[in-house]
Amino acid sequence: MSSFDVLIVGIGGQGTILASNIIGEACLIEETPIKGVETHGMAQRGGSVESHVRIGGEYGPLIVPGGADLMIALDLLEAVRYRHYLKKGARVIANDHTVVPTSVHMQHLEMPGRDALIADLADFDLTLVDAAGLAAEAGNLIVQNVVMLGAAAPSFPLKPESLEEAVRRSVPPKTLDLNLKAFALGREAGLKKD
Amino acid sequence: MVKRYLLGNEAIAHACIEAGIDFASGYPGTPSSEVVDTLRAQKEREFYIEWSVNEKVAFENALAASWCGLRSMVTMKHVGLNVAADPLMTSAYTGAKGGFVVLSADDPYAHSSQNEQDTRRYAHFAKIPCMVPASVQEAHDMMKDAFALSEEVGLPVLFRPTTRICHSKGDVDLAEVSQEHRTGAFEKDPAQYVVVPAHTRMLHKRLNEKQPVVRKAVLDLGYNTTEVRGTTAVVACGIAASYVQEVLPADVSFMKIGCFPVDPAWMEEFVQAHETVLVIEEGAPVVEERLRQLSCGVKVFGQMDGTVPKEGEFSPALVADAMVQAGILQASPFQAPAAPAPDLPPRPPILCAGCPHRSVFYAIKRAFPDGIYPSDIGCYTLGLQLGTVDTTICMGASVTVGSGIAHSGEERPVVATIGDSTFLHTGVQGLLNAVYNNAEMTLVILDNRITAMTGHQPNPCTGETAMGAASVPVSLEALCRACGVQFVETVDPYDFTATLQALKEAKARPGVKVLIAKQACVITARRAKIRRWRYVVDPEVCTACGACLRFGCPALGRDENDRAVINELCNGCGVCADLCPTGAIGKEGRK
């Protein structure tokens, strides 16, 4: 059985690990094997981070460059940084926002504009999501990762109900309503594209 | 049996409580830290857990517990095992009583390490067994067996996961937590535990005599397996075995090595049944060296002939390429990937917005513009990007490298930096040596009260133990004074002016000077619900000079007119307001 490979990318602190945990719970619910790897240590401190998730994966946890079926990018610049991991024409669900890296200010580097970043993703099936706007609508900017997961939900080989149940099992109880709302708003945004 | 989606380190920790662990100690180090962190957070089994001040201390504590009959474990990363190498070598002579597992996590590709050494070499060196898991499930199962193996052969067992085991996740089958508890009791036996030469000579002989027993016990565990299917074969160890299985053709034989020492007769039988063998293992060619000794007439590919890389991390694609090169695969099943996008601004890890270390580094650069800056292992190594980290080798070496440079006739001032946990780990010995030998240097202890880089483990500066019980925090001031330091000053790094002033005072004095820059880690402060006013830029006053941006805080950026803006990452440390020459930065909501 071949796996459905998902790459979650972003900036340390944005919640890629929680997003991958939710996908893992959903796989447990559906009794689908799952493997993955995530970034810890050095790269946590505001650095670029990547999380590999292999749904149905039976062997190693690493996705091979050129092998990912779907990318969830919590930052638009990071989507471009990891695009070589994607299969031709793969789905990309990207946050329509980027945090300017400190290197741009300190080393006077050029920061590509939004249009240039979107053009860099032209070969893929791109959906842009206003994660901050939807998270604010849900009630807190902190749930942008769950908004993005919701937006990606229609592209998963998992039932949206399983993902929703996984959200219930994975987030702190007192933030449950907030996260469920974020997931629902994200899912709506993800469906609109199709 | 229950199935859960777990991190490798979490699965390993759960296996420990299934095995009835009684004692755990360790020093944090990526990728090993979550094992003890998981153990101290779990509620299913009670036992003794500590974060020790360094790996040697942790090792000797756990070894003693094993001598008392307890099931014990010590955790560290590969470079930490260098610190514990002294007791490790002799512990093979004294042996273990209760199961004693030494977890040393390797980091191929040095994701967050200073080198790529292979822990399996230490097991061979010490003549003890070593277990190398190939998946999260296997890491779980092996850890349980490691305790039993240690008791069976009476030796410490090295457990060597790699980063892609520790930090990979999978659906793992777990078993029941053991309810059996042992009480430790030390039985005096000087011939076993006092390694004076007369005893040592006997103990070494006994260790050598154990080796055939060890090889048999390892083979019987069943982690070394073979499947004969043709005349060519792939031999793999650890996570590389998972990569091989993903691409292995159906007519190619496979040998998987999960546990050392490997029985030579068993390996020879397999090798001799083939014409061509490819060995794939991350790190050192440990299996390959053994296999080549037994391979008479068989063509062997591996690291030693250049088919497989000698450094870095493997992947399914790399493994497939090696199989193509060895003639085992016709072509790689993976398409050639597109090149990464060029010229993107890098996003390396940086000190957090509001991190107190940033201000100290900035002040050091001001007070000692021509300084030499030896530094150490921790978050603050990221001061590299601020130009204030000139050397880093290993834990505690900032002080010793600093005093070495100072004694070398170098005229420029030496300013070394070290974190609180690293100072207590192996920095303090360097300090007392520097003072006693009259070095000329300034040491800045970046004291954020916690071991932040590895995930906020408490240390003796924190004032609480691994289990959260209150304890007496060490006085760094008193400790430094007891080492003989005459100038010891404590400053709040959020007070930039005072920090700068104290550094200038230190500069004016002779000998070893210590500045303790004390302020809680910004992440622990936030978790403790300490809230500070955020800062904002007044666009009317800002002249777009860029002075604040040179500070390198991720909360600072530019607007479309190049004027400074402060984003939502601001933690309210206020240092940028001190640095702004026009006074354009102030607390939010106040004029």
Side-chain angles (χ1 to χ4, degrees), chain A residues 8-9 15 17 30 52 60 66 96 100-102 116 124 148 150 153-154 159 168 183 185 189-190:
Chain A
I8 311 173
V9 301
I17 291 181
E30 298 201 2
H52 298 211
D96 192 3
V100 179
T102 309
F124 305 103
M148 292 302 297
K159 296 190 200 86
R168 284 179 205 281
F183 184 79
L185 287 170

Coordinates of all heavy atoms in Angstrom, one line a residue, chain A residues 8-9 15 17 30 52 60 66 96 100-102 116 124 148 150 153-154 159 168 183 185 189-190:
Chain A
I8 N 3.9 19.5 6.3 CA 3.4 20.7 7.0 C 4.6 21.5 7.2 O 5.6 21.1 7.8 CB 2.7 20.3 8.3 CG1 1.7 19.2 8.1 CG2 2.0 21.6 8.9 CD1 1.1 18.7 9.4
V9 N 4.6 22.8 6.7 CA 5.8 23.6 6.9 C 5.3 25.0 7.5 O 4.2 25.3 7.4 CB 6.5 23.9 5.5 CG1 6.9 22.6 4.9 CG2 5.6 24.7 4.6
G15 N 2.8 25.9 15.4 CA 1.9 24.8 15.7 C 1.8 23.7 14.7 O 0.8 23.0 14.5
I17 N 3.4 20.9 15.0 CA 3.3 19.6 15.7 C 1.9 19.3 16.1 O 1.5 18.1 15.9 CB 4.3 19.7 17.0 CG1 5.7 19.7 16.5 CG2 4.0 18.5 17.9 CD1 6.8 19.7 17.6
E30 N -9.4 5.9 12.1 CA -9.7 5.1 10.8 C -8.9 3.9 10.7 O -9.0 3.2 9.7 CB -9.6 6.0 9.6 CG -10.5 7.2 9.6 CD -10.7 7.9 8.3 OE1 -10.2 7.3 7.3 OE2 -11.5 8.9 8.2
H52 N 6.8 15.9 8.5 CA 6.4 15.0 7.5 C 5.3 14.1 8.1 O 5.4 13.6 9.2 CB 7.5 14.1 7.1 CG 8.7 14.8 6.5 ND1 9.5 14.2 5.5 CD2 9.2 16.0 6.6 CE1 10.5 15.0 5.2 NE2 10.3 16.1 5.9
G60 N 9.6 3.9 6.5 CA 10.2 5.0 7.2 C 9.3 6.2 7.2 O 8.3 6.3 6.5
G66 N 10.0 15.5 -4.1 CA 9.3 15.1 -5.3 C 8.2 14.1 -5.0 O 7.6 13.6 -5.9
D96 N -2.1 32.9 3.3 CA -1.9 34.0 2.5 C -1.2 35.1 3.2 O -1.6 36.3 3.3 CB -3.2 34.5 1.9 CG -3.0 35.5 0.8 OD1 -1.9 35.7 0.4 OD2 -4.0 36.0 0.3
V100 N 8.2 38.3 7.7 CA 9.5 38.6 7.1 C 10.6 38.1 8.0 O 10.7 38.4 9.2 CB 9.6 40.1 6.9 CG1 11.0 40.5 6.3 CG2 8.5 40.7 6.0
P101 N 11.5 37.2 7.4 CA 12.6 36.7 8.3 C 13.5 37.8 8.7 O 13.7 38.8 8.0 CB 13.4 35.7 7.3 CG 12.5 35.5 6.2 CD 11.6 36.7 6.1
T102 N 14.0 37.7 10.0 CA 14.9 38.7 10.5 C 16.1 38.9 9.6 O 16.7 40.0 9.6 CB 15.3 38.3 11.9 OG1 14.1 38.0 12.7 CG2 16.0 39.4 12.7
A116 N 5.2 37.4 -6.4 CA 6.4 36.6 -6.8 C 6.3 35.2 -6.1 O 6.5 34.2 -6.7 CB 7.7 37.2 -6.4
F124 N 1.6 24.2 -9.1 CA 0.8 23.4 -8.2 C -0.6 23.8 -8.1 O -1.0 24.9 -8.5 CB 1.5 23.4 -6.8 CG 2.9 23.0 -6.8 CD1 3.9 23.9 -6.8 CD2 3.3 21.7 -7.0 CE1 5.3 23.6 -6.9 CE2 4.6 21.3 -7.1 CZ 5.6 22.2 -7.1
M148 N -5.8 26.2 9.1 CA -5.2 25.6 7.9 C -5.4 24.1 7.7 O -5.6 23.7 6.6 CB -3.6 25.9 8.0 CG -3.2 27.3 7.9 SD -3.8 28.2 6.4 CE -2.9 27.2 5.2
G150 N -8.1 22.6 8.7 CA -9.5 22.5 8.2 C -9.5 22.8 6.7 O -10.3 22.1 6.0
A153 N -8.6 19.8 4.9 CA -9.3 18.6 5.2 C -10.0 18.0 4.0 O -9.9 16.8 3.8 CB -10.4 18.9 6.3
P154 N -10.6 18.8 3.1 CA -11.2 18.2 1.9 C -10.2 17.4 1.0 O -10.6 16.6 0.1 CB -11.8 19.4 1.1 CG -11.9 20.4 2.2 CD -10.8 20.2 3.1
K159 N -11.8 10.9 6.4 CA -13.1 11.5 6.5 C -13.0 12.8 7.3 O -12.3 12.8 8.3 CB -14.1 10.6 7.2 CG -14.4 9.3 6.4 CD -15.6 8.6 7.1 CE -15.7 7.2 6.7 NZ -14.8 6.3 7.5
R168 N -11.1 17.2 18.6 CA -11.7 17.1 19.9 C -10.7 16.4 20.9 O -10.5 16.7 22.0 CB -12.9 16.2 19.9 CG -14.1 16.9 19.4 CD -15.3 15.9 19.4 NE -16.3 16.3 18.4 CZ -17.2 17.3 18.6 NH1 -17.2 17.9 19.7 NH2 -18.0 17.6 17.6
F183 N -11.6 25.0 12.8 CA -11.6 23.9 11.9 C -12.7 24.1 10.9 O -12.5 23.9 9.7 CB -11.7 22.6 12.6 CG -11.6 21.4 11.8 CD1 -10.3 20.9 11.3 CD2 -12.7 20.7 11.4 CE1 -10.2 19.8 10.5 CE2 -12.6 19.6 10.6 CZ -11.4 19.1 10.1
L185 N -14.4 26.8 10.0 CA -14.2 28.0 9.1 C -13.1 27.7 8.1 O -13.3 28.0 6.9 CB -13.7 29.2 10.0 CG -14.8 29.9 10.8 CD1 -14.2 30.9 11.7 CD2 -15.9 30.5 9.9
A189 N -13.4 27.4 3.9 CA -12.5 28.1 3.0 C -11.9 27.1 2.0 O -11.7 27.4 0.8 CB -11.5 28.8 3.8
G190 N -11.6 25.9 2.5 CA -10.9 24.9 1.6 C -11.9 24.4 0.6 O -11.5 24.0 -0.5

